Amino acid sequence: MKKSKNGKSDTLSKSDYFEKLEPLQLELNDLARWLVHTGKRLVVVIEGRDTAGKGGVISAIADTLNPRQCRTVALGKPGEREQTQWYFQRYVPYLPAEGEIALFDRSWYNRAGVERVMGFCTEAQTNAFLKQAPAFEKMLVEDGILLFKYWLTVDQAQQEERFAERLADPLKRWKLSSIDVKAREKYAEYGQARDVMLKATHSKVAPWTLVDFNDQRAGRLTLIRHLLDHIPDRKVAETLVEFPPLGHEPLRENFGTALKPLRARS
């Protein structure tokens, strides 16, 4: 654990994090095999404020899984035609088929958060969404989809630190936008919109789970552990591929054309 100025442990060190993450990723692979074996479908909705850590926890889940089976859904701004569709319509094509996992980096809940606070939709559209979302999710669950909804919590002090880190790091500046700048001024408004959303869309069929992400590494571990603990017995015997001896000396690449590979340079 990393030590704070008062000597107390406050954040999880990188080495401790990876040590704890590895067994969880093995269990995630067990889960992936179980989904294929049973034909079940899994949807994980990851929501939260800017800088909360949505992308990081999605990467932690997906990194060791087959990308053909586990897909991340991160939709951009809706196009002109999409703006005239039923709101949920643009998300439906990204729902998983049997044996698949869909990880939503933001989701249909954009309407109750970013769009509402930033004025990108009307109050009538927001109210319609809050009424329809529980019915939409009930249909998903009744059709057999395993649906998990997570809200990542982060205090403004931590958010400010992460904004500053992104601004200072040229490899992270792509994460910053003019919307982020405006959103800084609306921290309280986002909290109010979140509370209205949670009250309207938290149900026994599709409950919300809030996870503290002030320490992102600890938050990832907590979320993944919760996900694994709330899916039924998922152990399926792994079918190992047999690799018999090659039967000859390994061959070197040999190109019968004028094309040659670039030599690797350190």
Side-chain angles (χ1 to χ4, degrees):
M1 301 287 283
K2 180 181 175 182
K3 299 290 185 180
S4 61
K5 291 180 180 179
N6 60 14
K8 294 181 179 179
S9 298
D10 52 6
T11 59
L12 191 65
S13 71
K14 186 177 290 188
S15 59
D16 286 343
Y17 166 68
F18 283 114
E19 182 180 348
K20 294 175 184 294
L21 178 63
E22 184 176 0
L24 294 180
Q25 290 183 321
L26 289 173
E27 290 190 55
L28 286 169
N29 274 269
D30 288 341
L31 168 60
R33 283 193 297 274
W34 177 81
L35 290 170
V36 171
H37 179 75
T38 60
K40 296 286 188 181
R41 295 161 289 165
L42 175 61
V43 169
V44 183
V45 169
I46 306 291
E47 289 287 344
R49 299 175 183 275
D50 294 320
T51 79
K54 296 179 290 294
V57 71
I58 286 175
S59 293
I61 294 171
D63 273 352
T64 62
L65 300 181
N66 183 343
R68 294 184 180 88
Q69 179 188 14
C70 179
R71 296 183 177 90
T72 298
V73 183
L75 303 186
K77 181 181 176 181
E80 187 174 331
R81 181 172 182 274
E82 288 176 316
Q83 292 177 24
T84 68
Q85 296 175 338
W86 176 48
Y87 179 72
F88 294 93
Q89 187 172 339
R90 73 187 296 243
Y91 294 96
V92 170
Y94 299 95
L95 294 173
E98 68 173 34
E100 293 180 349
I101 303 169
L103 306 173
F104 281 86
D105 184 351
R106 294 200 186 274
S107 64
W108 43 90
Y109 282 101
N110 261 356
R111 173 130 296 179
V114 174
E115 291 186 17
R116 182 178 200 175
V117 174
M118 301 307 296
F120 298 152
C121 67
T122 66
E123 279 299 299
Q125 289 174 319
T126 300
N127 292 334
F129 167 82
L130 292 174
K131 182 178 179 180
Q132 292 176 9
F136 173 67
E137 292 171 355
K138 187 172 185 287
M139 286 190 291
L140 299 184
V141 173
E142 287 180 345
D143 199 57
I145 286 178
L146 302 172
L147 174 62
F148 291 84
K149 303 186 303 188
Y150 293 99
W151 180 273
L152 316 187
T153 75
V154 60
D155 296 332
Q156 193 168 29
Q158 288 293 332
Q159 187 183 51
E160 284 293 293
E161 285 185 16
R162 293 170 192 174
F163 278 140
E165 181 185 352
R166 290 177 180 183
L167 186 62
D169 187 344
L171 300 181
K172 292 184 178 181
R173 284 180 195 151
W174 64 269
K175 296 183 178 183
L176 290 173
S177 69
S178 58
I179 299 298
D180 295 328
V181 176
K182 294 179 182 178
R184 292 176 65 232
E185 304 169 1
K186 297 180 178 291
Y187 184 91
E189 289 90 335
Y190 267 100
Q192 293 165 2
R194 175 207 59 213
D195 290 347
V196 171
M197 178 199 77
L198 293 175
K199 184 176 181 180
T201 61
H202 176 70
S203 67
K204 185 175 180 180
V205 171
W208 279 99
T209 300
L210 278 57
V211 185
D212 184 345
F213 260 68
N214 282 301
D215 180 342
Q216 290 182 323
R217 292 170 187 154
R220 292 171 201 159
L221 298 175
T222 301
L223 189 153
I224 295 171
R225 181 75 271 161
H226 180 276
L227 175 66
L228 292 168
D229 286 347
H230 286 77
I231 293 179
D233 184 18
R234 58 190 181 277
K235 195 71 175 178
V236 175
E238 184 176 4
T239 302
L240 298 178
V241 178
E242 292 188 12
F243 270 75
L246 191 59
H248 58 75
E249 290 296 316
L251 303 177
R252 293 178 61 87
E253 286 273 29
N254 186 18
F255 297 89
T257 72
L259 296 172
K260 302 297 179 185
L262 295 174
R263 291 192 177 277
R265 295 186 296 177
S266 59

